[in-house]
């Protein structure tokens, strides 16, 4: 899946943690699932094939607002 296939839910308004595509973001796929972009976390070892990322709370709140939840 390419980035162009995703709907970007955050970072559209140049928030404090975003100035380009290199910042934490939340995306929605065509099937409705969520893809998170953030800083890799080493909080604990995730299962094989998975990763942990950290995103600021404000980014998650922006995504929730964009989804109308």
């Amino acid at each position: 899946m390419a980035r162009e296939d995703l709907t970007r839910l955050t970072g559209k308004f140049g928030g404090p943690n975003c100035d380009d595509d290199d910042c934490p973001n939340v995306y929605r796929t065509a099937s409705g699932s969520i893809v998170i972009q953030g800083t890799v976390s080493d909080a604990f070892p995730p299962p094989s094939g998975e990763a942990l990322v950290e995103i600021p709370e404000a980014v998650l709140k922006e995504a929730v607002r964009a989804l109308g939840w």
Side-chain angles (χ1 to χ4, degrees):
M1 169 181 330
R3 183 182 292 193
E4 296 79 31
D5 298 328
L6 303 172
T7 301
R8 187 173 171 179
L9 300 174
T10 58
K12 297 178 183 180
F13 307 106
N17 300 303
C18 185
D19 59 3
D20 204 357
D21 287 340
D22 63 346
C23 56
N25 277 297
V26 178
Y27 301 87
R28 183 171 39 186
T29 67
S31 66
S33 63
I34 302 296
V35 175
I36 305 291
Q37 173 187 346
T39 304
V40 175
S41 173
D42 61 358
F44 62 88
S48 179
E50 296 185 7
L52 304 176
V53 298
E54 293 184 35
I55 60 169
E57 183 178 323
V59 172
L60 187 56
K61 286 180 178 179
E62 183 181 354
V64 168
R65 283 192 300 272
L67 290 167
W69 294 351

